[in-house]
Amino acid sequence: MMLDTLGVGLLGTRTAVFNKALKYSQLFTSRERSSVWGQSDIILPPHYAAFVNGIAVHSMDFDDTWHPATHPSGAVLPALLALVETLPSQPSGLDLLLAFNVGIEVQGRLMRFSKEAYNIPERYQFWKYFQLWMKEGETNHGPLCPFRFHPPSVVGVMGSAAASAKLLRLSPEQCIHALAIAASSAGAPLANAATQTKPLHIGNAARRGLEAARLAQIGLKGNPAILDLDRGLGVYYKDYSPSAMADSAVRAYKWILEDQDVAFKRIPTHLGMHWVVDAALAAREKLQNAVGKFDLSQIRHVTLRVPPSKYVNCPLPATEHQARHSFQFNACTALLDNKVTVASFGDAQIGRSAMKELLGKVSLETPEDNLPSFDKMYCEVEIATHQGPSYTARCDTFYGHWRKPLTLKHLVEKFSVNASSVLCTEGVERVIDVIGNIERVADCSILGSYLRMTRNQERLDRMRIL
């Protein structure tokens, strides 16, 4: 999880949203300074370093995803790496690893206190929910209108605060107040999904969780019962029902990560798109095998059978962020190009005539058995041809899902491809080595220097030598 987060974060430092956030953050200075990933000569106050690095992680929607649905790592790792560079006694790699796990665990526990959290957001349109509520009463329908907030903005800031508090070695009382303070910075409306603002949800979670821990460290206090109250964290989930955690000091304690892996993405797009991409690629292969070639003119109509989720139903995306949240665009990209990559979301690819033509042939169906849950959903793609035959393929579990995780080899390959677009070869190799041996690293702040070993800096160093 650490390696994947660093890789997508490094790649994300070359995006427009990152550069806008970086330009803003450079307005601020402090005595404490932390590294900005992929920048050889830029340092920021630690909470702003956490902010921009968190934004980079989620700038392409390429970061890991958990179930119940959230992006767990991006809110935690940027805060921790910004913090380690400011501490008087440098934490070890094992200290970093434990704090990271605490931040992930807290998010997982909080989300499991709500059944609503298991669904993909916006299962139904609000108007449909309102009509049913007025007609028969909401208690007859269960969670028809699941959470309206982007999950990382709610639990991510809590995870960041918990992880930062652990690394700062705060007392139990201070940890409680760090979580209470963080809760007052939680929440971001889901309406900003598919915009440049969505990556800020991760950046803000990292930054504000770190700030909460630092404020608790100097004595600021909040409501110590924040996690137990309906008017506390319960404001975000209608069915929030917390229960006591097992004593973590007991040897029998099990971490959530022991029972469930996370999903690592092979393409930079919303997690739901991975099902439709794999199904589209398989349907395309069937058509090509049957007729000997694939040609857009062969296609009469394309049907996508997907779970009901309004915010990833985008028939005609106009921006890269809309395209990353569009069942239609991702299916059409897979059909046209026989692949989906980072380059697939550029303006030229979105605006090409073949894409517009194929998008016009796509319709969406939402079968009743296709539940809006990353654990239960499927995607089916049917290509109807002018010649008569149809070619259909279905994906129930894509490669990279927690039920079908990437191999370590493929995970390292993904990191290397992403990181090498920014770092020199030595930087890439050293980050892999440090993360691969994190339990034995004496001073984890060394990661900051490796994350600044850019290709541009390598060229400048060679020029100085010459």
Side-chain angles (χ1 to χ4, degrees):
M1 291 168 73
M2 285 181 168
L3 191 68
D4 187 67
T5 302
L6 292 174
V8 299
L10 286 163
L11 183 66
T13 64
R14 298 304 183 256
T15 61
V17 61
F18 169 83
N19 283 300
K20 290 174 182 177
L22 179 61
K23 183 177 180 180
Y24 164 74
S25 298
Q26 285 180 283
L27 297 173
F28 305 95
T29 59
S30 74
R31 286 178 297 175
E32 292 185 331
R33 299 175 294 181
S34 297
S35 301
V36 178
W37 303 350
Q39 308 292 317
S40 59
D41 57 352
I42 298 177
I43 50 177
L44 290 174
H47 53 293
Y48 279 106
F51 175 61
V52 298
N53 291 335
I55 288 172
V57 169
H58 197 56
S59 61
M60 294 184 177
D61 224 311
F62 210 178
D63 46 327
D64 56 22
T65 305
W66 216 7
H67 180 70
T70 193
H71 301 280
S73 298
V76 174
L77 191 59
L80 291 178
L81 292 188
L83 184 58
V84 298
E85 295 187 78
T86 69
L87 298 178
S89 58
Q90 297 300 339
S92 69
L94 194 57
D95 293 329
L96 175 67
L97 185 60
L98 180 56
F100 179 80
N101 274 273
V102 166
I104 303 302
E105 181 79 0
V106 164
Q107 294 178 74
R109 294 287 174 184
L110 291 177
M111 296 205 78
R112 281 160 177 77
F113 293 157
S114 164
K115 292 181 180 178
E116 281 183 341
Y118 283 78
N119 292 332
I120 301 173
E122 285 193 36
R123 177 180 176 184
Y124 293 92
Q125 296 182 27
F126 175 78
W127 181 245
K128 179 176 181 180
Y129 167 74
F130 181 74
Q131 287 177 314
L132 288 169
W133 181 80
M134 291 292 289
K135 183 178 180 181
E136 300 180 41
E138 64 176 332
T139 55
N140 295 329
H141 297 283
L144 285 178
C145 190
F147 45 89
R148 298 151 291 164
F149 298 92
H150 189 207
S153 72
V154 177
V155 296
V157 68
M158 306 300 286
S160 172
S164 299
K166 181 64 178 175
L167 200 62
L168 287 168
R169 301 178 185 272
L170 300 191
S171 69
E173 182 182 7
Q174 289 173 317
C175 290
I176 290 171
H177 290 301
L179 292 174
I181 297 165
S184 281
S185 293
L190 200 62
N192 269 326
T195 74
Q196 283 190 327
T197 298
K198 187 187 178 193
L200 270 65
H201 299 171
I202 299 290
N204 281 329
R207 165 191 171 185
R208 290 171 179 168
L210 172 55
E211 288 178 332
R214 297 294 292 269
L215 287 167
Q217 186 181 35
I218 61 174
L220 190 71
K221 295 184 178 181
N223 189 329
I226 200 76
L227 301 183
D228 302 319
L229 302 172
D230 289 340
R231 66 183 188 276
L233 208 71
V235 302
Y236 298 105
Y237 303 101
K238 293 184 181 68
D239 65 344
Y240 181 72
S241 181
S243 58
M245 289 178 61
D247 186 353
S248 59
V250 177
R251 291 181 63 88
Y253 180 84
K254 288 202 71 172
W255 298 73
I256 294 174
L257 277 175
E258 293 182 50
D259 292 324
Q260 181 189 301
D261 204 342
V262 298
F264 295 108
K265 298 180 178 181
R266 291 174 293 129
I267 53 177
T269 184
H270 179 276
L271 190 73
M273 306 304 107
H274 289 63
W275 278 270
V276 81
V277 166
D278 279 11
L281 291 173
R284 184 188 195 278
E285 184 178 12
K286 287 183 178 180
L287 187 156
Q288 189 167 332
N289 289 342
V291 302
K293 65 175 183 176
F294 176 89
D295 194 299
L296 178 57
S297 63
Q298 299 168 317
I299 298 177
R300 177 174 57 83
H301 189 75
V302 177
T303 303
L304 309 181
R305 299 183 181 96
V306 298
S309 186
K310 183 172 178 280
Y311 88 119
V312 285
N313 177 3
C314 185
L316 297 170
T319 69
E320 63 165 303
H321 296 282
Q322 290 175 356
R324 296 182 200 280
H325 294 74
S326 168
F327 277 125
Q328 296 91 333
F329 178 84
N330 283 272
C332 288
T333 299
L335 291 175
L336 287 174
D337 304 328
N338 202 24
K339 62 182 178 180
V340 179
T341 68
V342 171
S344 299
F345 300 92
D347 290 341
Q349 297 297 97
I350 294 172
R352 55 186 162 154
S353 58
M355 175 62 69
K356 293 179 179 178
E357 180 182 347
L358 187 53
L359 284 170
K361 299 180 179 183
V362 175
S363 65
L364 220 65
E365 295 180 358
T366 54
E368 289 186 3
D369 68 335
N370 201 350
L371 302 178
S373 164
F374 288 141
D375 206 38
K376 299 177 181 178
M377 65 176 280
Y378 67 85
C379 287
E380 192 171 89
V381 175
E382 180 179 356
I383 307 171
T385 65
H386 289 291
Q387 292 74 24
S390 293
Y391 303 90
T392 304
R394 170 170 163 159
C395 176
D396 295 292
T397 303
F398 66 88
Y399 179 46
H401 191 278
W402 46 84
R403 291 194 300 266
K404 194 177 179 181
L406 295 183
T407 63
L408 180 59
K409 176 186 176 185
H410 288 158
L411 196 66
V412 172
E413 286 176 355
K414 176 188 171 183
F415 168 81
S416 298
V417 170
N418 289 334
S420 62
S421 66
V422 178
L423 301 184
C424 65
T425 302
E426 183 183 1
V428 173
E429 292 174 349
R430 289 194 176 187
V431 172
I432 293 173
D433 182 63
V434 168
I435 296 299
N437 296 282
I438 193 70
E439 300 95 329
R440 294 179 288 278
V441 173
D443 178 2
C444 63
S445 67
I446 193 66
L447 263 175
S449 62
Y450 296 155
L451 293 168
R452 296 195 303 269
M453 295 177 67
T454 64
R455 297 168 67 179
N456 289 337
Q457 185 60 44
E458 184 182 46
R459 283 193 289 269
L460 288 172
D461 291 341
R462 287 176 180 172
M463 289 174 64
R464 290 192 189 101
I465 293 172
L466 292 173

